[in-house]
Amino acid sequence: AQSVTQLDSQVPVFEEAPVELRCNYSSSVSVYLFWYVQYPNQGLQLLLKYLSGSTLVKGINGFEAEFNKSQTSFHLRKPSVHISDTAEYFCAVSDLWGYALNFGKGTSLLVTP
Amino acid sequence: KAGVTQTPRYLIKTRGQQVTLSCSPISGHRSVSWYQQTPGQGLQFLFEYFSETQRNKGNFPGRFSGRQFSNSRSEMNVSTLELGDSALYLCASSLGGTSGGIPDTQYFGPGTRLTVL
């Protein structure tokens, strides 16, 4: 089964510092990976996705992620965070048929001044 | 282009009642998926519809059902509500196809917050 594990439930970081949110995946076949962000009382917004091709994926709001097949990871990074990046971040993998997403438990990013 | 819309945004029901939630996808999208989000279980897939047909279903009891109309709008229904059904219900839409096996991206609505008392 396609699944992802988010290794950190909470990540506190100071404003303008770099951040990495970790995600490992489990899959025996081709894998399609996504990062979504959820701001308080809102739905999910797509940050970026890896479908194929270049392993370094750039997304919105200055985020990027690297697909690492040997380490089965898809970590999300940002070189300098802002207060407004405070939110819940979800890593997800598409199921075998592409009709459903299997989500990790989420990582709460808290950016403080 | 308008995004995915969900109505109502908030609902309060009592145990034993039933509830219907509505989702309007992005124009041109033919697939609608539903997810349940709770603090304990996280985000869980409920079911997916494409061209009025259910293509995939998650591991939820039969009290949870859905349907899709010819204009791609979708509804989900929960009968005999339980306290544990309190959750944020998210709807997502996509074009619905797979290009060479690569899935289309899902775009989410703001959700319906259901509280069961």
Side-chain angles (χ1 to χ4, degrees):
Chain A
Q2 318 278 75
S3 65
V4 292
T5 302
Q6 292 184 244
L7 301 172
D8 307 291
S9 59
Q10 293 183 336
V11 173
V13 63
F14 289 112
E15 192 175 19
E16 296 183 9
V19 70
E20 178 180 82
L21 305 183
R22 299 181 294 166
C23 174
N24 285 353
Y25 68 88
S26 172
S27 172
S28 58
V29 295
S30 297
V31 61
Y32 307 110
L33 294 158
F34 305 80
W35 275 100
Y36 284 86
V37 61
Q38 185 176 36
Y39 299 102
N41 299 315
Q42 294 187 28
L44 301 175
Q45 181 182 9
L46 180 68
L47 278 175
L48 48 80
K49 59 187 176 183
Y50 172 78
L51 302 179
S52 64
S54 173
T55 57
L56 183 61
V57 181
K58 293 191 182 297
I60 62 171
N61 301 341
F63 284 94
E64 64 180 33
E66 185 163 14
F67 174 70
N68 189 318
K69 190 172 182 179
S70 62
Q71 297 187 8
T72 61
S73 67
F74 189 55
H75 300 336
L76 181 71
R77 302 185 181 100
K78 186 170 182 177
S80 176
V81 295
H82 303 288
I83 299 288
S84 59
D85 292 323
T86 293
E88 192 81 13
Y89 291 79
F90 292 94
C91 181
V93 62
S94 181
D95 73 353
L96 286 174
W97 300 272
Y99 304 152
L101 292 171
N102 296 324
F103 286 90
K105 293 293 188 184
T107 297
S108 179
L109 176 64
L110 176 61
V111 183
T112 54
Chain B
K1 218 181 233 187
V4 178
T5 58
Q6 293 186 243
T7 56
R9 292 292 311 277
Y10 301 91
L11 266 178
I12 299 176
K13 293 286 187 179
T14 56
R15 280 181 298 174
Q17 288 186 308
Q18 74 165 12
V19 67
T20 299
L21 313 181
S22 180
C23 172
S24 293
I26 293 170
S27 177
H29 284 191
R30 297 169 64 189
S31 168
V32 173
S33 299
W34 289 89
Y35 295 82
Q36 182 195 64
Q37 185 178 23
T38 60
Q41 299 300 315
L43 279 154
Q44 294 184 288
F45 170 73
L46 279 156
F47 30 64
E48 186 259 357
Y49 287 87
F50 179 79
S51 293
E52 303 178 66
T53 300
Q54 187 182 88
R55 289 196 300 193
N56 199 6
K57 187 178 187 302
N59 188 24
F60 277 83
R63 299 185 298 107
F64 292 82
S65 63
R67 59 177 176 170
Q68 187 179 34
F69 302 96
S70 58
N71 62 357
S72 294
R73 190 178 69 86
S74 176
E75 290 181 346
M76 68 162 282
N77 183 277
V78 187
S79 63
T80 319
L81 284 166
E82 301 177 359
L83 294 178
D85 298 333
S86 294
L88 180 67
Y89 290 88
L90 292 163
C91 163
S93 78
S94 74
L95 291 170
T98 57
S99 303
I102 297 176
D104 290 318
T105 298
Q106 295 189 23
Y107 297 91
F108 284 79
T112 295
R113 173 77 62 186
L114 172 64
T115 301
V116 182
L117 303 176

